[in-house]
Amino acid sequence: MTVRHLFGAKKSREIRDIRQENYFEKQEGVTTVQFPHEKMPIPEIGRYQLHVEIEDCIVCDLCAKACPVDCIAIESIKSPEAIGKTSDGSVKRLYAAQFDIDMAKCMYCGLCTVVCPTECITMTNQYDRSTTKLTDLIYDFGEMTEEEIKQRKEEWTRFQADKEAAKKK
């Protein structure tokens, strides 16, 4: 199947002189897509915007390590006990204090989606998120507030201190 056949083009458009009376009459064939009202068909296996289901993330940092352009920034906070389970049953022991993806740096290779053990990072079919500010392309998937981050860090420090005190006894 050719590209022309895919988009319904039956014949090539003819060249017209702007001075002709019928210059603005619609010709058959490929015309400009009137984006955003009309959209080109999106391939199912296309690579577009990244999305993270943070509830399923175990903050393993594998996606950030696999990223060849370092567009994923993750900061984790350890927890003294298990904090829950993901949708696939994996135990969560780390809090995601920060989980940012800079889509301005992303090269859409998909390596981060391949290495994710819980499949929480995926590529969506969204491709039209243009902006005039590069900072708008940094997506923050972390849901913790500064207060919660401070509290969780204090809990871990207290747990470590109690553990050291128990060793000395």
Side-chain angles (χ1 to χ4, degrees), residues 35-146:
F35 185 82
H37 306 294
E38 297 177 25
K39 294 184 180 181
M40 299 286 276
I42 300 172
E44 288 183 30
I45 57 170
R47 297 179 182 161
Y48 303 104
Q49 296 288 317
L50 290 171
H51 177 72
V52 178
E53 286 296 329
I54 201 69
E55 296 84 22
D56 286 342
C57 182
I58 58 173
V59 199
C60 63
D61 201 32
L62 289 176
C63 55
K65 290 175 183 168
C67 182
V69 292
D70 294 327
C71 71
I72 301 174
I74 297 176
E75 180 187 344
S76 62
I77 302 171
K78 292 182 180 179
S79 173
E81 68 250 351
I83 57 174
K85 290 190 176 193
T86 63
S87 62
D88 70 352
S90 301
V91 177
K92 293 177 71 167
R93 297 188 184 279
L94 299 170
Y95 292 102
Q98 176 192 13
F99 197 121
D100 297 344
I101 299 177
D102 189 347
M103 292 307 295
K105 291 181 183 177
C106 182
M107 60 186 237
Y108 304 94
C109 64
L111 291 175
C112 56
T113 63
V114 174
V115 298
C116 182
T118 60
E119 298 179 359
C120 70
I121 187 166
T122 57
M123 289 197 152
T124 67
N125 62 357
Q126 298 295 313
Y127 61 88
D128 55 349
R129 294 182 183 172
S130 58
T131 181
T132 57
K133 289 174 46 181
L134 284 178
T135 55
D136 290 344
L137 293 172
I138 300 173
Y139 299 122
D140 178 16
F141 293 101
E143 296 176 340
M144 294 181 74
T145 64
E146 292 297 323

